[in-house]
């Protein structure tokens, strides 16, 4: 799976996120196996999540207190 380039006329904003070590390992392995960056996988996942929940005002997630930190 080739990574589609980001269109040069689209602005991007850098965002960082802290992941548990195991999640980071799995994300890196998935990206590497498919020849894409971890950032690409995260962008696609966020895009799909936002499309699926477009127009919703509340998160469709039940987060534990520890997951919110």
């Amino acid at each position: 799976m080739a990574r589609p380039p980001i269109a040069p006329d689209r602005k991007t904003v850098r965002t960082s996120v802290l992941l548990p070590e195991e999640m980071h390992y799995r994300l890196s392995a998935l990206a590497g196996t498919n020849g894409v960056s971890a950032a690409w996988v995260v962008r696609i996942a966020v895009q799909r999540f936002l499309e699926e929940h477009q127009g919703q005002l509340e998160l469709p997630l039940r987060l534990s207190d520890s997951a919110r930190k």
Side-chain angles (χ1 to χ4, degrees):
M1 170 192 321
R3 171 179 28 176
I6 296 174
D9 60 333
R10 295 182 73 186
K11 293 183 180 181
T12 60
V13 178
R14 181 174 304 274
T15 301
S16 62
V17 57
L18 297 174
L19 301 173
E21 188 174 10
E22 173 65 17
M23 189 182 295
H24 180 265
Y25 173 78
R26 292 172 56 197
L27 173 63
S28 297
L30 179 65
T33 298
N34 289 280
V36 297
S37 68
W40 184 87
V41 174
V42 171
R43 274 193 301 273
I44 295 301
V46 169
Q47 178 182 2
R48 288 180 180 176
F49 181 87
L50 292 174
E51 287 172 358
E52 183 177 334
H53 301 288
Q54 186 173 3
Q56 293 181 0
L57 297 177
E58 294 184 22
L59 285 175
L61 309 171
R62 294 206 181 270
L63 299 177
S64 66
D65 288 335
S66 63
R68 294 175 198 242
K69 296 178 181 177

